[in-house]
Amino acid sequence: MTTQREQKNHIAIDPDRLWADLQDVGKIGYREGFGISRPALSDADIAAKEWLMERLQAAGLEVCMDAATNVIGTLRTRRKRPVRVLVIGSHLDTVPQGGMFDGALGVVAGLECARVIRENGIELPWDLEIINFSDEEAAHNAGTVGSRAMLGQLQPEEIFVSKGKDISSFADEMKRMGRDPHQVHDAVRDPKIFKAMLELHIEQGNHLESEGIRIGVVTGIVGIYRYIITVKGESNHAGTTPMHLRNDALVKAAPLFTLLPQWVRARNKEMVGTIGQVTVAPGATNVIPGECTFVVELRSMNASDMVAVRGLLEEWVLAQSDAAIQTIYEKDSVALAEPLIETIARAAKIEGLSAIRMPSGAGHDTQSFAAYVPSGIIFIPCLRGKSHCPEESIEPQQAVDGCRVLLKTVLALAEQHTEGG
Ligand code: GLV
Ligand code: MN
Ligand code: MN
């Protein structure tokens, strides 16, 4: 008779099933030449949620959608209740014209892990939840909405205010789904119930690829600050208003577009600053812009550098004749749990995969958990480090590497639990 430990050493994921699932969900929201667009709670995102619910059900998990529209599949332990919960989570929403693997990899790999654990009759000491967190990608500009809702981190009223471009609020989208946004706080759970949170993700940078390393063990996640700046001018006829009489909002805003990179580069090498969204109103070829609105995003591991650049932004805004700055959110960097980093690094070693420790410059749902729950992220390389674009690509073997390390980490945590760790 084989013991649970021997059995655990032999269970293996199914590479073909993992890849087929990634391809399958990758068809949802795909348009030739434009990549995948599944902004949170769009028709495509809802279809992806339905796809996942079906797959989780077919895998024998209990499935629900919580009050924040997170999809949760639960593989229950037979242990006596109350039990804790191990989460494997990521997201199925994408940026506009995004790729196939950012987020989807972590959800599909979680599904595959749950399937093989169940198929092999492995008894875990906690419930295992596979979670597709809603609106990780900031379709409404704040991002990580589902995971923050679960950890009680949503700002009051935030889901009722749309800060996205040409998009209604998260609350309006919930209503469109027949759900009550006023109930969103029912999604809050006590962080103490969570044993750990694990996420498998593509690196979204080219460090692993350029070094020829197969696994990144993430040590911390970058802080993200986002602001909306509005500069007002005066709309007028573009043909009849002489240049010296114009009050053009875009021209007033433009110096900041080149000042921001200078300020950021002067602070530290790892800090980044982006203006990725600019709108002019009314937005017509023959009208002088009366208003220019843009989103400034700052990222760094170092909060004091971000506060300093925020100060420069505020000064710039004050110096304008008619401008305002509004905070979308400010999330400081987090360190991930050292014991979990060790466990993941060991799992990679057992699987015979080279690994390094590294920080993440991208945001993740794990960030919402990390302050309260031991949290870990596993990275695999992606082609030329490209992500948030249709060219985002990985090899099937890289998905398999990551999923194997994820599974091994879950089994190692179960082993530690049995041994009283
Ligand atoms: C999510 O991918 C982010 O880093 O914005
Ligand atoms: Mn992303
Ligand atoms: Mn992601």
PDB file of all heavy atoms in Angstrom, residues 86 88 113 117 124 126 196-199 217 339-348 350-351 376-378 402-416:
ATOM      1  N   LEU A  86      -6.547  27.293   1.680  1.00  0.00           N
ATOM      2  CA  LEU A  86      -5.388  27.649   0.858  1.00  0.00           C
ATOM      3  C   LEU A  86      -5.923  28.176  -0.475  1.00  0.00           C
ATOM      4  O   LEU A  86      -6.731  27.507  -1.126  1.00  0.00           O
ATOM      5  CB  LEU A  86      -4.513  26.423   0.598  1.00  0.00           C
ATOM      6  CG  LEU A  86      -3.276  26.732  -0.251  1.00  0.00           C
ATOM      7  CD1 LEU A  86      -2.193  27.383   0.589  1.00  0.00           C
ATOM      8  CD2 LEU A  86      -2.722  25.492  -0.924  1.00  0.00           C
ATOM      9  N   ILE A  88      -5.367  29.449  -4.363  1.00  0.00           N
ATOM     10  CA  ILE A  88      -4.563  29.657  -5.576  1.00  0.00           C
ATOM     11  C   ILE A  88      -5.398  30.602  -6.427  1.00  0.00           C
ATOM     12  O   ILE A  88      -6.536  30.276  -6.795  1.00  0.00           O
ATOM     13  CB  ILE A  88      -4.309  28.358  -6.360  1.00  0.00           C
ATOM     14  CG1 ILE A  88      -3.567  27.331  -5.503  1.00  0.00           C
ATOM     15  CG2 ILE A  88      -3.510  28.664  -7.626  1.00  0.00           C
ATOM     16  CD1 ILE A  88      -3.321  25.998  -6.219  1.00  0.00           C
ATOM     17  N   CYS A 113      -4.089  22.044 -10.829  1.00  0.00           N
ATOM     18  CA  CYS A 113      -3.613  21.501  -9.543  1.00  0.00           C
ATOM     19  C   CYS A 113      -4.772  20.853  -8.774  1.00  0.00           C
ATOM     20  O   CYS A 113      -4.638  19.745  -8.246  1.00  0.00           O
ATOM     21  CB  CYS A 113      -2.983  22.601  -8.683  1.00  0.00           C
ATOM     22  SG  CYS A 113      -1.388  23.142  -9.274  1.00  0.00           S
ATOM     23  N   ILE A 117      -5.021  16.863  -7.754  1.00  0.00           N
ATOM     24  CA  ILE A 117      -5.098  16.533  -6.321  1.00  0.00           C
ATOM     25  C   ILE A 117      -6.336  15.666  -6.069  1.00  0.00           C
ATOM     26  O   ILE A 117      -6.294  14.643  -5.396  1.00  0.00           O
ATOM     27  CB  ILE A 117      -5.118  17.827  -5.473  1.00  0.00           C
ATOM     28  CG1 ILE A 117      -3.721  18.456  -5.479  1.00  0.00           C
ATOM     29  CG2 ILE A 117      -5.585  17.559  -4.043  1.00  0.00           C
ATOM     30  CD1 ILE A 117      -3.648  19.870  -4.923  1.00  0.00           C
ATOM     31  N   LEU A 124      -6.023  17.021   1.473  1.00  0.00           N
ATOM     32  CA  LEU A 124      -5.327  18.207   1.977  1.00  0.00           C
ATOM     33  C   LEU A 124      -5.849  18.567   3.367  1.00  0.00           C
ATOM     34  O   LEU A 124      -7.016  18.289   3.672  1.00  0.00           O
ATOM     35  CB  LEU A 124      -5.529  19.395   1.028  1.00  0.00           C
ATOM     36  CG  LEU A 124      -4.943  19.248  -0.383  1.00  0.00           C
ATOM     37  CD1 LEU A 124      -5.269  20.467  -1.239  1.00  0.00           C
ATOM     38  CD2 LEU A 124      -3.437  19.018  -0.344  1.00  0.00           C
ATOM     39  N   TRP A 126      -6.549  21.454   4.476  1.00  0.00           N
ATOM     40  CA  TRP A 126      -7.387  22.644   4.432  1.00  0.00           C
ATOM     41  C   TRP A 126      -8.213  22.588   3.160  1.00  0.00           C
ATOM     42  O   TRP A 126      -7.928  21.817   2.240  1.00  0.00           O
ATOM     43  CB  TRP A 126      -6.567  23.944   4.413  1.00  0.00           C
ATOM     44  CG  TRP A 126      -5.083  23.790   4.538  1.00  0.00           C
ATOM     45  CD1 TRP A 126      -4.333  23.946   5.671  1.00  0.00           C
ATOM     46  CD2 TRP A 126      -4.145  23.448   3.497  1.00  0.00           C
ATOM     47  NE1 TRP A 126      -3.004  23.727   5.408  1.00  0.00           N
ATOM     48  CE2 TRP A 126      -2.859  23.422   4.073  1.00  0.00           C
ATOM     49  CE3 TRP A 126      -4.269  23.145   2.143  1.00  0.00           C
ATOM     50  CZ2 TRP A 126      -1.706  23.116   3.355  1.00  0.00           C
ATOM     51  CZ3 TRP A 126      -3.117  22.835   1.421  1.00  0.00           C
ATOM     52  CH2 TRP A 126      -1.868  22.829   2.025  1.00  0.00           C
ATOM     53  N   ALA A 196      -2.716  30.360   3.235  1.00  0.00           N
ATOM     54  CA  ALA A 196      -1.746  31.025   2.357  1.00  0.00           C
ATOM     55  C   ALA A 196      -2.440  31.385   1.050  1.00  0.00           C
ATOM     56  O   ALA A 196      -3.528  30.887   0.752  1.00  0.00           O
ATOM     57  CB  ALA A 196      -0.555  30.107   2.071  1.00  0.00           C
ATOM     58  N   MET A 197      -1.788  32.285   0.311  1.00  0.00           N
ATOM     59  CA  MET A 197      -2.256  32.660  -1.025  1.00  0.00           C
ATOM     60  C   MET A 197      -1.106  32.419  -1.999  1.00  0.00           C
ATOM     61  O   MET A 197       0.025  32.875  -1.761  1.00  0.00           O
ATOM     62  CB  MET A 197      -2.661  34.145  -1.020  1.00  0.00           C
ATOM     63  CG  MET A 197      -2.655  34.824  -2.369  1.00  0.00           C
ATOM     64  SD  MET A 197      -4.081  34.372  -3.380  1.00  0.00           S
ATOM     65  CE  MET A 197      -3.651  35.199  -4.930  1.00  0.00           C
ATOM     66  N   LEU A 198      -1.380  31.690  -3.077  1.00  0.00           N
ATOM     67  CA  LEU A 198      -0.343  31.398  -4.074  1.00  0.00           C
ATOM     68  C   LEU A 198      -0.801  31.867  -5.450  1.00  0.00           C
ATOM     69  O   LEU A 198      -1.983  31.715  -5.803  1.00  0.00           O
ATOM     70  CB  LEU A 198      -0.085  29.884  -4.139  1.00  0.00           C
ATOM     71  CG  LEU A 198       0.488  29.221  -2.887  1.00  0.00           C
ATOM     72  CD1 LEU A 198       0.526  27.707  -3.078  1.00  0.00           C
ATOM     73  CD2 LEU A 198       1.886  29.756  -2.580  1.00  0.00           C
ATOM     74  N   GLU A 199       0.123  32.412  -6.217  1.00  0.00           N
ATOM     75  CA  GLU A 199      -0.221  32.858  -7.574  1.00  0.00           C
ATOM     76  C   GLU A 199       0.923  32.484  -8.515  1.00  0.00           C
ATOM     77  O   GLU A 199       2.088  32.758  -8.222  1.00  0.00           O
ATOM     78  CB  GLU A 199      -0.448  34.387  -7.571  1.00  0.00           C
ATOM     79  CG  GLU A 199      -0.917  34.929  -8.912  1.00  0.00           C
ATOM     80  CD  GLU A 199      -1.485  36.365  -8.828  1.00  0.00           C
ATOM     81  OE1 GLU A 199      -1.427  36.989  -7.744  1.00  0.00           O
ATOM     82  OE2 GLU A 199      -1.983  36.846  -9.872  1.00  0.00           O
ATOM     83  N   VAL A 217      11.212  33.325  -8.076  1.00  0.00           N
ATOM     84  CA  VAL A 217      10.497  33.260  -6.793  1.00  0.00           C
ATOM     85  C   VAL A 217      10.388  34.705  -6.319  1.00  0.00           C
ATOM     86  O   VAL A 217      11.403  35.360  -6.058  1.00  0.00           O
ATOM     87  CB  VAL A 217      11.271  32.404  -5.765  1.00  0.00           C
ATOM     88  CG1 VAL A 217      10.428  32.220  -4.506  1.00  0.00           C
ATOM     89  CG2 VAL A 217      11.657  31.057  -6.362  1.00  0.00           C
ATOM     90  N   PRO A 339       9.120  32.337   4.683  1.00  0.00           N
ATOM     91  CA  PRO A 339       9.028  30.870   4.702  1.00  0.00           C
ATOM     92  C   PRO A 339       8.420  30.310   3.409  1.00  0.00           C
ATOM     93  O   PRO A 339       8.805  29.250   2.929  1.00  0.00           O
ATOM     94  CB  PRO A 339       8.091  30.577   5.893  1.00  0.00           C
ATOM     95  CG  PRO A 339       8.098  31.818   6.709  1.00  0.00           C
ATOM     96  CD  PRO A 339       8.379  32.960   5.796  1.00  0.00           C
ATOM     97  N   LEU A 340       7.498  31.075   2.835  1.00  0.00           N
ATOM     98  CA  LEU A 340       6.865  30.616   1.591  1.00  0.00           C
ATOM     99  C   LEU A 340       7.841  30.742   0.414  1.00  0.00           C
ATOM    100  O   LEU A 340       7.875  29.893  -0.488  1.00  0.00           O
ATOM    101  CB  LEU A 340       5.605  31.457   1.351  1.00  0.00           C
ATOM    102  CG  LEU A 340       4.449  30.841   0.593  1.00  0.00           C
ATOM    103  CD1 LEU A 340       4.218  29.392   0.961  1.00  0.00           C
ATOM    104  CD2 LEU A 340       3.184  31.651   0.845  1.00  0.00           C
ATOM    105  N   ILE A 341       8.647  31.801   0.452  1.00  0.00           N
ATOM    106  CA  ILE A 341       9.689  31.971  -0.577  1.00  0.00           C
ATOM    107  C   ILE A 341      10.605  30.747  -0.550  1.00  0.00           C
ATOM    108  O   ILE A 341      10.929  30.155  -1.587  1.00  0.00           O
ATOM    109  CB  ILE A 341      10.489  33.276  -0.323  1.00  0.00           C
ATOM    110  CG1 ILE A 341       9.588  34.491  -0.571  1.00  0.00           C
ATOM    111  CG2 ILE A 341      11.751  33.346  -1.182  1.00  0.00           C
ATOM    112  CD1 ILE A 341      10.197  35.830  -0.167  1.00  0.00           C
ATOM    113  N   GLU A 342      10.975  30.338   0.662  1.00  0.00           N
ATOM    114  CA  GLU A 342      11.834  29.149   0.844  1.00  0.00           C
ATOM    115  C   GLU A 342      11.158  27.902   0.281  1.00  0.00           C
ATOM    116  O   GLU A 342      11.770  27.102  -0.409  1.00  0.00           O
ATOM    117  CB  GLU A 342      12.054  28.905   2.359  1.00  0.00           C
ATOM    118  CG  GLU A 342      13.133  29.726   2.970  1.00  0.00           C
ATOM    119  CD  GLU A 342      14.493  29.326   2.428  1.00  0.00           C
ATOM    120  OE1 GLU A 342      14.703  28.129   2.178  1.00  0.00           O
ATOM    121  OE2 GLU A 342      15.319  30.234   2.210  1.00  0.00           O
ATOM    122  N   THR A 343       9.872  27.749   0.619  1.00  0.00           N
ATOM    123  CA  THR A 343       9.143  26.546   0.188  1.00  0.00           C
ATOM    124  C   THR A 343       9.065  26.490  -1.338  1.00  0.00           C
ATOM    125  O   THR A 343       9.248  25.434  -1.946  1.00  0.00           O
ATOM    126  CB  THR A 343       7.710  26.531   0.806  1.00  0.00           C
ATOM    127  OG1 THR A 343       7.846  26.652   2.211  1.00  0.00           O
ATOM    128  CG2 THR A 343       6.951  25.267   0.470  1.00  0.00           C
ATOM    129  N   ILE A 344       8.805  27.640  -1.959  1.00  0.00           N
ATOM    130  CA  ILE A 344       8.704  27.670  -3.429  1.00  0.00           C
ATOM    131  C   ILE A 344      10.072  27.375  -4.046  1.00  0.00           C
ATOM    132  O   ILE A 344      10.188  26.598  -5.009  1.00  0.00           O
ATOM    133  CB  ILE A 344       8.158  29.037  -3.915  1.00  0.00           C
ATOM    134  CG1 ILE A 344       6.715  29.234  -3.449  1.00  0.00           C
ATOM    135  CG2 ILE A 344       8.247  29.139  -5.442  1.00  0.00           C
ATOM    136  CD1 ILE A 344       6.182  30.657  -3.652  1.00  0.00           C
ATOM    137  N   ALA A 345      11.131  27.982  -3.476  1.00  0.00           N
ATOM    138  CA  ALA A 345      12.480  27.766  -4.021  1.00  0.00           C
ATOM    139  C   ALA A 345      12.843  26.285  -3.922  1.00  0.00           C
ATOM    140  O   ALA A 345      13.422  25.710  -4.849  1.00  0.00           O
ATOM    141  CB  ALA A 345      13.487  28.624  -3.266  1.00  0.00           C
ATOM    142  N   ARG A 346      12.456  25.665  -2.800  1.00  0.00           N
ATOM    143  CA  ARG A 346      12.746  24.234  -2.628  1.00  0.00           C
ATOM    144  C   ARG A 346      11.949  23.402  -3.642  1.00  0.00           C
ATOM    145  O   ARG A 346      12.450  22.447  -4.224  1.00  0.00           O
ATOM    146  CB  ARG A 346      12.426  23.792  -1.198  1.00  0.00           C
ATOM    147  CG  ARG A 346      13.426  22.778  -0.678  1.00  0.00           C
ATOM    148  CD  ARG A 346      13.320  22.500   0.819  1.00  0.00           C
ATOM    149  NE  ARG A 346      13.133  23.673   1.635  1.00  0.00           N
ATOM    150  CZ  ARG A 346      12.059  23.895   2.423  1.00  0.00           C
ATOM    151  NH1 ARG A 346      11.080  23.010   2.482  1.00  0.00           N
ATOM    152  NH2 ARG A 346      11.972  24.985   3.153  1.00  0.00           N
ATOM    153  N   ALA A 347      10.693  23.801  -3.868  1.00  0.00           N
ATOM    154  CA  ALA A 347       9.847  23.076  -4.826  1.00  0.00           C
ATOM    155  C   ALA A 347      10.480  23.121  -6.219  1.00  0.00           C
ATOM    156  O   ALA A 347      10.518  22.118  -6.942  1.00  0.00           O
ATOM    157  CB  ALA A 347       8.443  23.674  -4.843  1.00  0.00           C
ATOM    158  N   ALA A 348      11.007  24.291  -6.594  1.00  0.00           N
ATOM    159  CA  ALA A 348      11.650  24.421  -7.909  1.00  0.00           C
ATOM    160  C   ALA A 348      12.864  23.499  -7.978  1.00  0.00           C
ATOM    161  O   ALA A 348      13.099  22.837  -8.993  1.00  0.00           O
ATOM    162  CB  ALA A 348      12.055  25.874  -8.148  1.00  0.00           C
ATOM    163  N   ILE A 350      13.416  20.722  -6.280  1.00  0.00           N
ATOM    164  CA  ILE A 350      12.999  19.319  -6.376  1.00  0.00           C
ATOM    165  C   ILE A 350      12.581  18.981  -7.810  1.00  0.00           C
ATOM    166  O   ILE A 350      12.822  17.902  -8.322  1.00  0.00           O
ATOM    167  CB  ILE A 350      11.836  19.030  -5.394  1.00  0.00           C
ATOM    168  CG1 ILE A 350      12.319  19.178  -3.957  1.00  0.00           C
ATOM    169  CG2 ILE A 350      11.243  17.638  -5.610  1.00  0.00           C
ATOM    170  CD1 ILE A 350      11.222  19.213  -2.924  1.00  0.00           C
ATOM    171  N   GLU A 351      11.963  19.963  -8.471  1.00  0.00           N
ATOM    172  CA  GLU A 351      11.528  19.737  -9.859  1.00  0.00           C
ATOM    173  C   GLU A 351      12.694  19.872 -10.841  1.00  0.00           C
ATOM    174  O   GLU A 351      12.505  19.759 -12.052  1.00  0.00           O
ATOM    175  CB  GLU A 351      10.420  20.729 -10.231  1.00  0.00           C
ATOM    176  CG  GLU A 351       9.098  20.491  -9.504  1.00  0.00           C
ATOM    177  CD  GLU A 351       8.433  19.170  -9.893  1.00  0.00           C
ATOM    178  OE1 GLU A 351       8.723  18.652 -10.979  1.00  0.00           O
ATOM    179  OE2 GLU A 351       7.631  18.649  -9.088  1.00  0.00           O
ATOM    180  N   GLY A 376       2.694  33.967  -1.705  1.00  0.00           N
ATOM    181  CA  GLY A 376       3.834  33.668  -2.569  1.00  0.00           C
ATOM    182  C   GLY A 376       3.454  33.753  -4.036  1.00  0.00           C
ATOM    183  O   GLY A 376       2.317  33.449  -4.416  1.00  0.00           O
ATOM    184  N   ILE A 377       4.420  34.195  -4.856  1.00  0.00           N
ATOM    185  CA  ILE A 377       4.203  34.258  -6.306  1.00  0.00           C
ATOM    186  C   ILE A 377       5.339  33.514  -7.005  1.00  0.00           C
ATOM    187  O   ILE A 377       6.510  33.685  -6.657  1.00  0.00           O
ATOM    188  CB  ILE A 377       4.158  35.716  -6.825  1.00  0.00           C
ATOM    189  CG1 ILE A 377       3.038  36.491  -6.135  1.00  0.00           C
ATOM    190  CG2 ILE A 377       3.965  35.748  -8.332  1.00  0.00           C
ATOM    191  CD1 ILE A 377       2.833  37.899  -6.671  1.00  0.00           C
ATOM    192  N   ILE A 378       4.935  32.712  -7.986  1.00  0.00           N
ATOM    193  CA  ILE A 378       5.894  31.975  -8.813  1.00  0.00           C
ATOM    194  C   ILE A 378       5.863  32.601 -10.204  1.00  0.00           C
ATOM    195  O   ILE A 378       4.779  32.742 -10.792  1.00  0.00           O
ATOM    196  CB  ILE A 378       5.469  30.484  -8.918  1.00  0.00           C
ATOM    197  CG1 ILE A 378       5.397  29.857  -7.528  1.00  0.00           C
ATOM    198  CG2 ILE A 378       6.408  29.710  -9.849  1.00  0.00           C
ATOM    199  CD1 ILE A 378       4.550  28.591  -7.469  1.00  0.00           C
ATOM    200  N   GLY A 402       5.926  26.023 -14.397  1.00  0.00           N
ATOM    201  CA  GLY A 402       5.307  26.830 -13.347  1.00  0.00           C
ATOM    202  C   GLY A 402       4.248  26.044 -12.596  1.00  0.00           C
ATOM    203  O   GLY A 402       4.165  26.103 -11.366  1.00  0.00           O
ATOM    204  N   CYS A 403       3.458  25.289 -13.333  1.00  0.00           N
ATOM    205  CA  CYS A 403       2.360  24.537 -12.704  1.00  0.00           C
ATOM    206  C   CYS A 403       2.916  23.427 -11.811  1.00  0.00           C
ATOM    207  O   CYS A 403       2.381  23.156 -10.736  1.00  0.00           O
ATOM    208  CB  CYS A 403       1.437  23.987 -13.802  1.00  0.00           C
ATOM    209  SG  CYS A 403      -0.113  23.375 -13.166  1.00  0.00           S
ATOM    210  N   ARG A 404       4.016  22.828 -12.244  1.00  0.00           N
ATOM    211  CA  ARG A 404       4.641  21.778 -11.415  1.00  0.00           C
ATOM    212  C   ARG A 404       5.155  22.372 -10.101  1.00  0.00           C
ATOM    213  O   ARG A 404       4.995  21.781  -9.033  1.00  0.00           O
ATOM    214  CB  ARG A 404       5.794  21.120 -12.173  1.00  0.00           C
ATOM    215  CG  ARG A 404       5.324  20.045 -13.145  1.00  0.00           C
ATOM    216  CD  ARG A 404       6.430  19.598 -14.094  1.00  0.00           C
ATOM    217  NE  ARG A 404       7.641  19.194 -13.411  1.00  0.00           N
ATOM    218  CZ  ARG A 404       8.857  19.193 -13.980  1.00  0.00           C
ATOM    219  NH1 ARG A 404       9.016  19.600 -15.216  1.00  0.00           N
ATOM    220  NH2 ARG A 404       9.912  18.801 -13.302  1.00  0.00           N
ATOM    221  N   VAL A 405       5.757  23.543 -10.181  1.00  0.00           N
ATOM    222  CA  VAL A 405       6.268  24.176  -8.947  1.00  0.00           C
ATOM    223  C   VAL A 405       5.098  24.570  -8.042  1.00  0.00           C
ATOM    224  O   VAL A 405       5.152  24.424  -6.817  1.00  0.00           O
ATOM    225  CB  VAL A 405       7.168  25.393  -9.285  1.00  0.00           C
ATOM    226  CG1 VAL A 405       7.577  26.135  -8.023  1.00  0.00           C
ATOM    227  CG2 VAL A 405       8.393  24.940 -10.061  1.00  0.00           C
ATOM    228  N   LEU A 406       4.026  25.039  -8.666  1.00  0.00           N
ATOM    229  CA  LEU A 406       2.825  25.408  -7.886  1.00  0.00           C
ATOM    230  C   LEU A 406       2.280  24.190  -7.140  1.00  0.00           C
ATOM    231  O   LEU A 406       2.010  24.240  -5.929  1.00  0.00           O
ATOM    232  CB  LEU A 406       1.776  25.986  -8.842  1.00  0.00           C
ATOM    233  CG  LEU A 406       0.453  26.424  -8.243  1.00  0.00           C
ATOM    234  CD1 LEU A 406       0.641  27.574  -7.253  1.00  0.00           C
ATOM    235  CD2 LEU A 406      -0.528  26.863  -9.346  1.00  0.00           C
ATOM    236  N   LEU A 407       2.129  23.093  -7.860  1.00  0.00           N
ATOM    237  CA  LEU A 407       1.593  21.872  -7.244  1.00  0.00           C
ATOM    238  C   LEU A 407       2.524  21.388  -6.135  1.00  0.00           C
ATOM    239  O   LEU A 407       2.065  21.049  -5.037  1.00  0.00           O
ATOM    240  CB  LEU A 407       1.430  20.780  -8.323  1.00  0.00           C
ATOM    241  CG  LEU A 407       0.959  19.425  -7.816  1.00  0.00           C
ATOM    242  CD1 LEU A 407      -0.446  19.521  -7.212  1.00  0.00           C
ATOM    243  CD2 LEU A 407       0.970  18.386  -8.939  1.00  0.00           C
ATOM    244  N   LYS A 408       3.810  21.381  -6.417  1.00  0.00           N
ATOM    245  CA  LYS A 408       4.782  20.911  -5.426  1.00  0.00           C
ATOM    246  C   LYS A 408       4.725  21.797  -4.178  1.00  0.00           C
ATOM    247  O   LYS A 408       4.858  21.317  -3.052  1.00  0.00           O
ATOM    248  CB  LYS A 408       6.177  20.937  -6.066  1.00  0.00           C
ATOM    249  CG  LYS A 408       7.232  20.129  -5.393  1.00  0.00           C
ATOM    250  CD  LYS A 408       6.906  18.676  -5.225  1.00  0.00           C
ATOM    251  CE  LYS A 408       7.602  17.798  -6.219  1.00  0.00           C
ATOM    252  NZ  LYS A 408       7.155  16.424  -6.272  1.00  0.00           N
ATOM    253  N   THR A 409       4.506  23.085  -4.358  1.00  0.00           N
ATOM    254  CA  THR A 409       4.418  24.001  -3.218  1.00  0.00           C
ATOM    255  C   THR A 409       3.198  23.660  -2.360  1.00  0.00           C
ATOM    256  O   THR A 409       3.275  23.602  -1.128  1.00  0.00           O
ATOM    257  CB  THR A 409       4.356  25.461  -3.713  1.00  0.00           C
ATOM    258  OG1 THR A 409       5.508  25.719  -4.516  1.00  0.00           O
ATOM    259  CG2 THR A 409       4.311  26.451  -2.566  1.00  0.00           C
ATOM    260  N   VAL A 410       2.067  23.409  -3.020  1.00  0.00           N
ATOM    261  CA  VAL A 410       0.842  23.048  -2.272  1.00  0.00           C
ATOM    262  C   VAL A 410       1.096  21.767  -1.469  1.00  0.00           C
ATOM    263  O   VAL A 410       0.775  21.681  -0.273  1.00  0.00           O
ATOM    264  CB  VAL A 410      -0.354  22.841  -3.231  1.00  0.00           C
ATOM    265  CG1 VAL A 410      -1.578  22.309  -2.489  1.00  0.00           C
ATOM    266  CG2 VAL A 410      -0.689  24.142  -3.967  1.00  0.00           C
ATOM    267  N   LEU A 411       1.703  20.782  -2.119  1.00  0.00           N
ATOM    268  CA  LEU A 411       1.928  19.498  -1.437  1.00  0.00           C
ATOM    269  C   LEU A 411       2.941  19.648  -0.300  1.00  0.00           C
ATOM    270  O   LEU A 411       2.801  19.028   0.751  1.00  0.00           O
ATOM    271  CB  LEU A 411       2.387  18.440  -2.451  1.00  0.00           C
ATOM    272  CG  LEU A 411       1.376  18.151  -3.576  1.00  0.00           C
ATOM    273  CD1 LEU A 411       1.915  17.106  -4.525  1.00  0.00           C
ATOM    274  CD2 LEU A 411       0.006  17.737  -3.036  1.00  0.00           C
ATOM    275  N   ALA A 412       3.938  20.525  -0.519  1.00  0.00           N
ATOM    276  CA  ALA A 412       4.930  20.756   0.541  1.00  0.00           C
ATOM    277  C   ALA A 412       4.265  21.429   1.738  1.00  0.00           C
ATOM    278  O   ALA A 412       4.548  21.094   2.892  1.00  0.00           O
ATOM    279  CB  ALA A 412       6.076  21.607   0.014  1.00  0.00           C
ATOM    280  N   LEU A 413       3.365  22.360   1.482  1.00  0.00           N
ATOM    281  CA  LEU A 413       2.661  23.032   2.591  1.00  0.00           C
ATOM    282  C   LEU A 413       1.807  22.016   3.350  1.00  0.00           C
ATOM    283  O   LEU A 413       1.707  22.069   4.578  1.00  0.00           O
ATOM    284  CB  LEU A 413       1.794  24.180   2.057  1.00  0.00           C
ATOM    285  CG  LEU A 413       2.554  25.402   1.525  1.00  0.00           C
ATOM    286  CD1 LEU A 413       1.589  26.398   0.885  1.00  0.00           C
ATOM    287  CD2 LEU A 413       3.333  26.097   2.649  1.00  0.00           C
ATOM    288  N   ALA A 414       1.187  21.092   2.615  1.00  0.00           N
ATOM    289  CA  ALA A 414       0.371  20.055   3.257  1.00  0.00           C
ATOM    290  C   ALA A 414       1.258  19.168   4.132  1.00  0.00           C
ATOM    291  O   ALA A 414       0.888  18.804   5.250  1.00  0.00           O
ATOM    292  CB  ALA A 414      -0.343  19.222   2.196  1.00  0.00           C
ATOM    293  N   GLU A 415       2.432  18.848   3.613  1.00  0.00           N
ATOM    294  CA  GLU A 415       3.393  18.021   4.350  1.00  0.00           C
ATOM    295  C   GLU A 415       3.825  18.731   5.634  1.00  0.00           C
ATOM    296  O   GLU A 415       3.846  18.133   6.706  1.00  0.00           O
ATOM    297  CB  GLU A 415       4.621  17.811   3.457  1.00  0.00           C
ATOM    298  CG  GLU A 415       5.388  16.537   3.701  1.00  0.00           C
ATOM    299  CD  GLU A 415       4.608  15.331   3.227  1.00  0.00           C
ATOM    300  OE1 GLU A 415       4.338  15.217   2.017  1.00  0.00           O
ATOM    301  OE2 GLU A 415       4.256  14.532   4.108  1.00  0.00           O
ATOM    302  N   GLN A 416       4.133  20.033   5.494  1.00  0.00           N
ATOM    303  CA  GLN A 416       4.566  20.820   6.671  1.00  0.00           C
ATOM    304  C   GLN A 416       3.458  20.825   7.723  1.00  0.00           C
ATOM    305  O   GLN A 416       3.701  20.740   8.908  1.00  0.00           O
ATOM    306  CB  GLN A 416       4.882  22.265   6.283  1.00  0.00           C
ATOM    307  CG  GLN A 416       6.152  22.437   5.475  1.00  0.00           C
ATOM    308  CD  GLN A 416       6.253  23.832   4.828  1.00  0.00           C
ATOM    309  OE1 GLN A 416       5.492  24.740   5.164  1.00  0.00           O
ATOM    310  NE2 GLN A 416       7.165  23.978   3.893  1.00  0.00           N
TER     311      GLN A 416
END
